[in-house]
Amino acid sequence: MILLGLGSNIGNREKNILTALQLLSEAVKIIKVSSIYETEPVGFKNQPKFLNIVVSIDTNLSPQNLLKNCLEIEASMGRKRLIHWGPRLIDIDILTYNNIYIDEENLKIPHPFITERKFVLVPIEEINPQIMIK
């Protein structure tokens, strides 16, 4: 199962997530989308609350090409990386990619903080209660 986490806390947060989903659907098949969850920021606390979702997808893209696509969507929507864990128009993270483990400088799968982030664990549980996250 390939899972992506999407989040936004700048501007029209819900519209940002829906736009990102539309752009993602041009490159991948979206299987299931969680509910939208409003969550407190992690790391840099002095910022607005986030809206977060998790989506399961199917794709023929390699993990690196999927990452490239996600980064291109973020850039096309106007994401600026100014503060680590800071406010963002859109954030798209690869959480899992089937049973593949990757530990490269620009890509780590499963996402290294997946087990520490309630804002991804709760929506993952919603869309796939049987998944085992380690």
Side-chain angles (χ1 to χ4, degrees):
M1 171 172 286
I2 304 170
L3 296 173
L4 304 178
L6 284 74
S8 175
N9 76 334
I10 296 176
N12 186 331
R13 301 171 301 165
E14 187 170 353
K15 182 179 179 194
N16 295 340
I17 288 174
L18 295 175
T19 299
L21 280 175
Q22 178 60 41
L23 293 170
L24 275 168
S25 72
E26 295 172 10
V28 304
K29 180 179 180 186
I30 295 176
I31 307 296
K32 202 164 192 180
V33 180
S34 76
S35 301
I36 295 175
Y37 293 86
E38 186 172 55
T39 61
E40 296 290 333
V42 173
F44 182 72
K45 301 281 188 189
N46 189 20
Q47 61 181 317
K49 291 183 179 181
F50 280 84
L51 291 185
N52 295 97
I53 65 168
V54 169
V55 298
S56 63
I57 66 165
D58 189 25
T59 185
N60 290 325
L61 294 173
S62 68
Q64 282 289 351
N65 285 333
L66 178 58
L67 174 64
K68 182 179 179 218
N69 182 259
C70 292
L71 293 174
E72 287 171 353
I73 290 169
E74 290 178 352
S76 75
M77 290 182 62
R79 174 161 182 191
K80 308 247 185 298
R81 295 175 185 271
L82 303 174
I83 301 171
H84 184 61
W85 287 339
R88 58 205 89 155
L89 186 78
I90 191 68
D91 185 37
I92 307 170
D93 290 327
I94 303 172
L95 303 174
T96 64
Y97 192 103
N98 297 324
N99 292 320
I100 294 175
Y101 288 85
I102 296 176
D103 188 4
E104 298 174 3
E105 185 176 332
N106 70 332
L107 182 60
K108 298 189 184 325
I109 299 175
H111 191 283
F113 300 113
I114 193 169
T115 60
E116 300 169 24
R117 303 288 197 250
K118 190 174 180 183
F119 62 83
V120 293
L121 291 173
V122 170
I124 288 171
E125 171 76 15
E126 175 192 335
I127 64 174
N128 187 347
Q130 291 79 30
I131 194 166
M132 297 284 288
I133 301 293
K134 298 177 186 175

